Amino acid sequence: MIVSEHRRAGSRQPALRQAAAAALAMLACLSGTAALAAAPKVQPVIQTPPASVIAEMASAPALHGLALANLIASNCAISGLEAGDAALIAGTAQMVAQHLGVGEPEYFSVYIDGALRELGAAGACDTHAASTLSLVSHLKAQGGAVLNRAELD
């Protein structure tokens, strides 16, 4: 079980600042730390899909998709996305990165930088909303969960 922090993008901060906050949250996940200055009072407690599913997902394209979905879920208002879903995506990305042997420098230079470029494109939220929802549904169907969702709502 992974405890991951997530900060919903309820305020109207510029997208780049929100993306940087999401990237810092992923860094916290990858480095095993658990602190962001502006973290919500109740942190999402997640369960990633089992190791066998992580192993099946482990590929560079899947990790890119997880990094992008995490930024989209953290920075876009998406109908149907529930509290803690971005943390589930981030935690799963962490597990996939670990399975692939991708360290923090590579994760940020390859995966987060690429995802940030896509997030910065016009209409990125609309373009990637459906795939982000689909990914969350897939993670949940494979055993992923936000264990304290009621506390987050």
Side-chain angles (χ1 to χ4, degrees), residues 6-114:
H6 171 67
R7 181 173 176 259
R8 289 298 299 169
S11 64
R12 299 288 185 222
Q13 298 176 345
L16 187 55
R17 184 170 177 199
Q18 292 173 344
L24 289 173
M26 189 60 194
L27 176 60
C29 286
L30 286 173
S31 66
T33 62
L36 268 183
K41 291 179 183 176
V42 177
Q43 305 302 316
V45 177
I46 63 159
Q47 171 183 297
T48 60
S52 60
V53 174
I54 298 296
E56 290 173 12
M57 292 177 69
S59 69
L63 187 53
H64 172 76
L66 287 161
L68 178 59
N70 182 35
L71 291 177
I72 295 294
S74 297
N75 292 286
C76 302
I78 300 174
S79 178
L81 201 64
E82 298 177 319
D85 285 347
L88 175 59
I89 296 168
T92 303
Q94 174 190 359
M95 299 305 291
V96 169
Q98 286 176 352
H99 187 83
L100 292 171
V102 173
E104 290 175 29
E106 181 183 359
Y107 184 77
F108 281 94
S109 67
V110 175
Y111 299 98
I112 292 295
D113 284 352

